[in-house]
């Protein structure tokens, strides 16, 4: 075993405040998870003195941790009340292929602002997967009256053309595809990356520029194996998590 | 069906340049996926004129798309050569519970800088899951000589104390837990969120402040159901994606 060079996290050459930043991050990690999992039953975090004692952290580190959580929109500090949990994140399970309304419909109404719905000549990288032309569909999706995700989808033309006559403002595309084709979807290859909101995307999703987003690519096939839907999704990170139970 | 109010994406009340930003985002989405999936065999993107034609986008939109990808570290524009793919993201499958070295060991050596390894009084939210005290272990993990993730873990004390004598610099904790306990891990609850790097985390991970990160929580149990390991991971988004095949 190589003994750790430094057990305090201070480290050589790190800037002043690094130790406090380390402590703040660690405290914020634990508080965030506990808050999001409903661990604070009355919706209030313990007071500063309790947190300082509980974590063995400095007052400045605890304050910095609470500031991190406030910047994420998870908590608000209210005079005379304390630190209150105000944010909530909807958990989107990663164990099955589902659309937004199927997954989060219990959390509120899903409404879609259709920004683009037109048959276009497929760019080469799209044509290689879905043929040419394709339907390009872009929807800004709202959950419970607030923007949640910006979905840009390319669909095989025969299915896409029939989608144009359907309720794109109110329905998941997955269900519509299944109705149109008369067969269930099969499987999708999903790739998830973190991203930050550029100014334009931020304005559409009603978050600050630089806010954390999921960037999700999803390539779905029908049950018979035919490629049908290639999607690029940007989902607000302050409103959503992805969850899975993984087995060894 | 409600007809789309606007099929161009311009939209009422949007700022000047919004249409270009929309186009740039759409072009960047397709190019990013094609580049990361190895679609450009010689590692070069098509030239501007080709992209303009292929996407039916304006020159300014294509340039803005390439600038987005350059800012992500995915491509570099080289005089006389064109736009070259320089970034690569390691895909971490979400279908099985694995450690970093198990998953990405083929991509290079995994080395861990042990920043903290000490038995501490467990904060209340940790004690509720793992008992009290716990081992707090924090490691900055490098893949192929470059920082990849910052992992802060809390381990049940009996297992954690034995971990202190093991090769924490060279090994995945999962394998060490299994050796110590003589049983395999069972399942883990995993929650994934996007995050942005604060200044301190950015310095540790060698990315710019504000860069996109995965924030992953993972709560693992032994095969007998006993909770053993609660982790908070921050993983560089410019080097990693999560992937899954989802079935309907």
């Amino acid at each position: 075993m190589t003994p750790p060079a430094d057990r305090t996290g201070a480290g050589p050459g790190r800037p002043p405040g690094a130790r406090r930043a380390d402590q703040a991050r660690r405290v914020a990690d634990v508080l965030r998870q506990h808050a999001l999992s409903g661990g604070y039953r009355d919706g209030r975090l313990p007071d500063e003195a309790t947190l300082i004692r509980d974590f063995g952290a400095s007052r400045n580190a605890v304050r910095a941790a609470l500031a991190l959580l406030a910047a994420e929109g998870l908590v608000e500090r209210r005079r005379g009340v304390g630190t209150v949990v105000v944010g909530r994140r909807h958990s989107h399970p990663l164990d099955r292929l589902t659309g937004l309304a199927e997954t989060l419909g219990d959390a509120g109404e899903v409404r879609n602002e259709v920004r683009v719905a037109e048959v276009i000549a497929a760019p080469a990288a799209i044509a290689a997967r879905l043929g040419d032309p394709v339907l390009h569909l872009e929807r800004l999706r709202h959950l419970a009256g607030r923007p949640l995700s910006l979905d840009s989808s390319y669909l095989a033309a025969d299915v896409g053309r029939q989608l144009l006559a359907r309720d794109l403002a109110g329905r998941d595309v997955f269900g519509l595809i299944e109705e149109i084709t008369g067969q269930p979807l099969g499987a999708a290859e999903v790739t998830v990356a973190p991203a930050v909101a550029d100014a334009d995307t931020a304005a559409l999703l009603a978050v600050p520029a630089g806010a954390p987003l999921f960037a999700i690519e999803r390539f779905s096939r029908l049950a018979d194996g035919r490629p049908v839907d290639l999607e690029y999704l940007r989902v607000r990170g302050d409103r959503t998590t992805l969850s899975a139970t993984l087995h060894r």
Side-chain angles (χ1 to χ4, degrees), chain A:
Chain A
M1 176 211 177
T2 310
D6 171 17
R7 291 177 179 238
T8 69
R14 297 195 71 216
R19 182 170 158 72
R20 182 173 77 207
D22 278 338
Q23 281 195 337
R25 172 174 43 75
R26 293 169 196 145
V27 171
D29 279 343
V30 176
L31 295 179
R32 181 187 303 107
Q33 184 191 45
H34 205 58
L36 287 171
S37 63
Y40 299 112
R41 296 205 184 158
D42 62 352
R44 285 199 313 177
L45 269 58
D47 63 24
E48 262 182 32
T50 304
L51 293 174
I52 290 166
R53 199 167 54 240
D54 191 29
F55 285 92
S58 70
R59 178 174 303 272
N60 281 338
V62 165
R63 287 185 175 170
L66 296 174
L68 284 172
L69 299 178
E72 294 171 18
L74 181 63
V75 303
E76 269 180 24
R77 309 195 71 175
R78 290 184 187 154
R79 186 178 295 269
V81 178
T83 303
V84 181
V85 181
V86 293
R88 188 184 156 200
R89 296 189 190 156
H90 302 288
S91 175
H92 199 118
L94 263 179
D95 56 359
R96 205 166 62 84
L97 183 60
T98 54
L100 185 66
E102 284 177 290
T103 314
L104 299 183
D106 291 345
E109 191 191 17
V110 173
R111 294 299 297 172
N112 310 306
E113 176 193 336
V114 179
R115 305 186 72 240
V116 180
E118 57 182 351
V119 176
I120 61 168
I126 303 282
R129 297 184 157 212
L130 293 172
D132 179 26
V134 289
L135 177 76
H136 181 212
L137 176 63
E138 191 171 279
R139 303 193 299 177
L140 181 60
R141 311 197 70 182
H142 293 72
L143 176 68
R146 292 159 57 212
L148 184 70
S149 75
L150 178 62
D151 296 9
S152 183
S153 306
Y154 299 87
L155 293 122
D158 57 338
V159 176
R161 285 204 176 91
Q162 295 184 68
L163 273 176
L164 287 171
R166 303 293 183 121
D167 178 17
L168 294 170
R171 296 278 308 276
D172 284 342
V173 165
F174 284 172
L176 294 174
I177 291 173
E178 292 175 329
E179 287 176 15
I180 288 168
T181 62
Q183 65 172 301
L185 286 166
E189 297 156 28
V190 180
T191 303
V192 180
V196 297
D198 60 71
D200 194 64
T201 307
L204 291 168
L205 289 173
V207 295
L213 305 177
F214 282 112
I216 301 177
E217 296 168 358
R218 194 163 57 180
F219 182 45
S220 303
R221 294 169 186 272
L222 293 169
D224 67 13
R226 198 183 135 214
V228 65
D229 184 11
L230 175 57
E231 300 167 290
Y232 303 91
L233 319 177
R234 273 179 185 66
V235 187
R236 280 175 57 163
D238 63 333
R239 298 192 70 193
T240 328
T241 61
L242 298 175
S243 62
T245 299
L246 301 187
H247 296 269
R248 184 66 169 162

